[in-house]
């Protein structure tokens, strides 16, 4: 199972509120959220691996999602909605529990 979390530090809980500080800053946290949303919204494992590799190898991994999805002819909109909303925050939090 892929866990998009790295050496982040999580404080708090889902119930009372939480904060996540990523080792390499906010861009890493954004990338982690996009990757967690990708795994959650793309059912095909081959596509997941391709997309995660594509994003991780980009010079701006936190912004690479649309281009990587386009390479496979996939729609990025559900992942973008996830990453920009509460679902993405909850998935990032749950990665801490899975790490």
């Amino acid at each position: 199972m892929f866990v998009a979390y790295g050496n982040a530090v999580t404080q708090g809980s889902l119930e009372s509120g939480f904060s996540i500080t990523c080792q390499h800053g906010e861009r890493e946290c954004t990338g982690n959220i996009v990757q967690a949303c990708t795994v959650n919204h793309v059912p095909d494992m081959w596509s997941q691996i391709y997309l995660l590799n594509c994003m991780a190898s980009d010079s701006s991994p936190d912004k690479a999602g649309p281009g990587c999805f386009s390479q496979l002819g996939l729609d990025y909109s559900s992942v973008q909605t996830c990453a920009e909303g509460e679902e993405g925050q909850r998935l990032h939090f749950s990665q801490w529990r899975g790490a």
Side-chain angles (χ1 to χ4, degrees):
M1 175 172 81
F2 177 78
V3 177
Y5 190 76
N7 285 325
V9 175
T10 299
Q11 296 177 332
S13 68
L14 280 175
E15 297 77 27
S16 64
F18 63 90
S19 66
I20 300 175
T21 305
C22 292
Q23 178 183 7
H24 301 290
E26 192 59 34
R27 287 181 62 199
E28 180 182 16
C29 280
T30 299
N32 288 347
I33 292 167
V34 170
Q35 290 180 350
C37 289
T38 296
V39 170
N40 200 50
H41 285 268
V42 176
D44 177 61
M45 187 174 290
W46 184 91
S47 296
Q48 288 177 6
I49 292 168
Y50 180 91
L51 293 165
L52 297 176
N53 185 56
C54 178
M55 288 184 271
S57 64
D58 193 270
S59 61
S60 294
D62 56 320
K63 298 178 183 172
C68 293
F69 272 70
S70 177
Q71 289 177 27
L72 291 182
L74 297 176
D75 183 16
Y76 183 68
S77 62
S78 67
V79 171
Q80 183 172 8
T81 299
C82 170
E84 293 175 351
E86 185 178 326
E87 179 186 8
Q89 294 299 318
R90 288 181 176 275
L91 286 171
H92 197 202
F93 181 86
S94 72
Q95 299 295 297
W96 168 51
R97 296 292 187 196

